[in-house]
Amino acid sequence: MTIKEFFQKHREKKKQNKKIFSSTKERVIYEIKSWTLVIIAVFFIRAGIIEAYQIPTGSMEKTINVGDFLLGNKFLYGARTPDWIGIPFTRVGFDIPYYRFPAFTQPEVGDVVIFKFPLDPWTNYVKRCLGTPGDTVKIVDKKVYVNGERFEDPEHSIVNYDNIFPKSYKEPRIFPSGNGNRDQYDPIYVPRKGDIFKLSGLSHKQVEYIRHIMILDGHSPKDNYGIYYEKGEPKYKVKQDYYFMMGDNRDNSFDSRYWGLVPYKYVMGSPLILYFSWDKTVPWTQFYKKIRWNRIFHTVS
């Protein structure tokens, strides 16, 4: 068979398999069904496997720059079925029950992680994990220690060691209240699923810390924050694992030092690759220079 005969046979076969419609109405219904299936497939892929993200802030400079566009691997930490249905690009909709598949691995200290912002789950954040379930994190003179061992600054991080807050300074917005400041951060324990906290004789800082976990676990004052009693003593049992996240741009990052811990249910995935990047400071008249060509297809570590 010649090449010409091969392609002619292929065209004839394609014509034979082509859908024949008896009316315009039938064609329209067929097209609607086809596009509906495509939209549903894309919806499930976006929800559970791969999703695109844009980086709007400089909290991870220069690991991830403002204007970077990245693809996130949502399969690594456990793909999940859609948990919300509504009008795309709006908040009009409602939550639905979802199932999370077993994870291939869990976030480890040093991993860059994509997660839902605990104070506003509609917003996605990208930070570096510096504390996993059961770890204790502290910061001394901007140096991070995990379980007493120094965590070396990431290769592309920005840390200004010439400007360090003193230990005496209590930063107002720090979590929990009174836990020092961004550069001198008192030890904080990252809870794991099943941990039990006693609820008697607590300081104000401890109360804030435990209540934060109770709320993220899904409890409210109406159910008494999930408190139970053992031998007459009030206690609380943690329902899920938690993580401590920080930005690589250490002086310019709104992270776990300020708003608290990240529950596992909000961990979405890890950056896969940068598929596009542009510099917002460059005017549109210099479009070619506006694109950061050297960052396209750049991996994140």
Side-chain angles (χ1 to χ4, degrees), residues 54-56 66-67 278-283 290 292:
Q54 181 195 358
I55 306 303
V66 174
W278 66 8
D279 190 341
K280 293 184 178 181
T281 63
V282 176
K290 190 176 184 67
R292 302 189 186 106

Side-chain angles (χ1 to χ4, degrees), residues 174-226:
I174 217 72
F175 172 85
S177 300
N179 210 54
N181 57 63
R182 71 182 190 195
D183 303 334
Q184 315 283 354
Y185 192 77
D186 294 343
I188 186 170
Y189 175 73
V190 184
R192 57 160 59 101
K193 183 179 180 180
D195 281 344
I196 296 177
F197 293 108
K198 295 181 180 180
L199 302 180
S200 57
L202 301 178
S203 65
H204 175 76
K205 182 165 68 172
Q206 291 170 324
V207 169
E208 181 182 344
Y209 166 82
I210 295 176
R211 188 175 65 170
H212 169 74
I213 295 167
M214 291 175 171
I215 292 173
L216 289 175
D217 270 354
H219 295 296
S220 68
K222 293 181 181 179
D223 60 11
N224 201 26
Y225 288 115

Side-chain angles (χ1 to χ4, degrees), residues 61-79:
E61 298 268 2
K62 301 181 177 178
T63 304
I64 306 176
N65 294 336
V66 174
D68 281 349
F69 293 76
L70 60 85
L71 291 177
N73 177 359
K74 302 178 75 173
F75 201 70
L76 185 65
Y77 300 138

Side-chain angles (χ1 to χ4, degrees), residues 96-122:
I96 59 174
Y98 69 91
Y99 174 76
R100 188 163 200 160
F101 294 91
F104 282 94
T105 185
Q106 301 294 332
E108 297 180 356
V109 172
D111 290 347
V112 179
V113 179
I114 301 168
F115 58 92
K116 293 183 178 182
F117 180 35
L119 300 186
D120 180 14
W122 283 87

Side-chain angles (χ1 to χ4, degrees), residues 202-266:
L202 301 178
S203 65
H204 175 76
K205 182 165 68 172
Q206 291 170 324
V207 169
E208 181 182 344
Y209 166 82
I210 295 176
R211 188 175 65 170
H212 169 74
I213 295 167
M214 291 175 171
I215 292 173
L216 289 175
D217 270 354
H219 295 296
S220 68
K222 293 181 181 179
D223 60 11
N224 201 26
Y225 288 115
I227 296 172
Y228 74 95
Y229 292 83
E230 187 177 280
K231 296 181 181 180
E233 183 178 17
K235 295 184 178 182
Y236 178 73
K237 188 174 183 178
V238 180
K239 294 175 61 177
Q240 59 186 318
D241 288 335
Y242 283 83
Y243 298 87
F244 188 92
M245 307 289 186
M246 275 182 59
D248 286 354
N249 188 355
R250 201 153 300 165
D251 292 351
N252 188 29
S253 175
F254 188 49
D255 51 41
S256 287
R257 294 172 293 178
Y258 295 98
W259 41 255
L261 304 165
V262 177
Y264 177 65
K265 67 179 179 181
Y266 286 163

